[in-house]
Amino acid sequence: MTVTQSRPGRLAGLTLALLAFANLITSLDFTIIYVALPHIGQDAGFTAHGLQWVVSAYAVFYGGFLLLGGRLADLLGRRRTLNAGLILFGAASVLGGLASSPAPLIVARVLQGIGAALVFPATLSLVNTVFAEGRQRNRALMWWALAGAGGLSLGALLGGLLTHAFGWQAVFWVNLPLVGAALIGAFTLLDADRPQARGAFDIPGAITGTAGATLLVFAIAQAGEAGLTTTVAVAGVLAVLSLAGFVAIEARSRSPLMPLRLLANRNLSAGILVIVPFGAAMNTVMFFLTLYFQDVLAYTALQAGLAFLVMSLVIAAGDFCSERLMHRFGTRTTLIVGLLAGVAGNVLLAASMGAQAGFVALLPGVVVYGLGMGIVFPAMFAATGTGVADHEQGTASGMASTAFQVGIATGLAVLVAISAAWGMPAAVYVAAAGTALGLFAAVALPSRTP
């Protein structure tokens, strides 16, 4: 039974606000650290190479533990997993705020990533089970996605404000009141967990799957930073071996971490194939926009954050359009429209960057690209949750979010290399081509979601 069926509408709305807020917290920490990096490097004694791990440690362990986080939500309960992730995230933020040297700061970012990997699939699976499949769920996913996109943009702005006013430690301390509010909301609004799945926990699958995903994201991220080094090669080989073992284990396990039969669901499998190029190509363009604002237009961190507020508003408009398009035309058509907008927006942005245009000249590309982002994001997660049983929504969420993070890591590694060799406009043109690949997967979705 869903919350919307068993509770008053106001309580359902508060529940959705909580889940969206928790999603905002994890997305905020991807970008809030960027502006503080020079100050962290100076005060904490990082080398130029070591400083990248303040960002990479979070991304690597977040991506590597998402599949495990999703399965834990199914087996241990979604509220319990959400609360555990929030507590770990908050404790790690305390460690980061107190750190004065590289080692504890990197550990803090690792623990933040693992905490976020518990929170994200728990919130997504709660949205997919609390709200009935169809328009209710699509509308809930719109608000959930809007909070996630808003967190990315707000992080850049908030990081600049906090670092300027209180020092870099403030980008860690700010998480404490946010996590506290989310925990109060979770204990107040979410029902206590009941058993959601039968069977023993798949320990061999958890070890090989988590190790494989973590090593894969690590190898891709390192390759983008340092090229094909011995470390990258070893990590890549170990990742392939671990993931091969994981698939073999899952095929035989009685209670698999990732039931392979779920891939027979066309909505889930095609949705994942949309998510990978979206993360690799379309989502990573925001990274190049950040560089363009600061390196080419010479914006301060605060000015760049304000420029992203425009992007946030456009993405929000796209999210609203996505819910209405899904209701009227179905998920497949919605994704095709959003991906086409993404391709067109990327081409416009690349052309403006090539001409070294100012912000006003960038606006058409920003608007079209932002609309595409807003349309695709909730629709692709709506697709992956369609037709999945409630007791496996956490696993499906973990699969979808892992695909997203692997896509982002791969896209950044490839596009940063292209940008270094041929310039930023070339990287964004390639991103447009990569976005177009998602269209082939979108066409494979059922023509109309029941």
Side-chain angles (χ1 to χ4, degrees), residues 181-261:
L183 284 169
I184 292 171
F187 281 110
T188 304
L189 297 170
L190 300 178
D191 290 333
D193 292 313
R194 290 176 291 180
Q196 306 217 15
R198 296 186 180 90
F201 187 69
D202 179 16
I203 294 177
I207 294 172
T208 54
T210 302
T214 304
L215 286 166
L216 179 62
V217 177
F218 169 80
I220 294 170
Q222 275 294 94
E225 292 285 344
L228 187 58
T229 63
T230 302
T231 301
V232 170
V234 170
V237 170
L238 291 176
V240 171
L241 293 175
S242 296
L243 291 174
F246 172 68
V247 171
I249 290 168
E250 298 309 277
R252 299 180 180 182
S253 176
R254 293 183 178 181
S255 181
L257 182 73
M258 188 187 80
L260 300 180
R261 57 179 169 72

Side-chain angles (χ1 to χ4, degrees), residues 2-29:
T2 65
V3 167
T4 52
Q5 293 168 333
S6 62
R7 297 185 180 184
R10 180 174 175 272
L11 189 52
L14 290 173
T15 302
L16 176 58
L18 164 67
L19 300 176
F21 180 64
N23 188 29
L24 181 144
I25 293 173
T26 58
S27 66
L28 193 73
D29 255 59

Side-chain angles (χ1 to χ4, degrees), residues 27 37 59 66 84 99 121 134 140 147 198 207 221 226 236 258 261 264 275 297 324 334 342 362 364 369 402 424 443:
S27 66
L37 283 176
L66 279 165
R198 296 186 180 90
I207 294 172
M258 188 187 80
R261 57 179 169 72
I275 285 172
L297 299 185
R324 286 156 178 77
T334 302
L362 279 176
Y369 164 78
T402 299
M424 199 180 301
V443 170

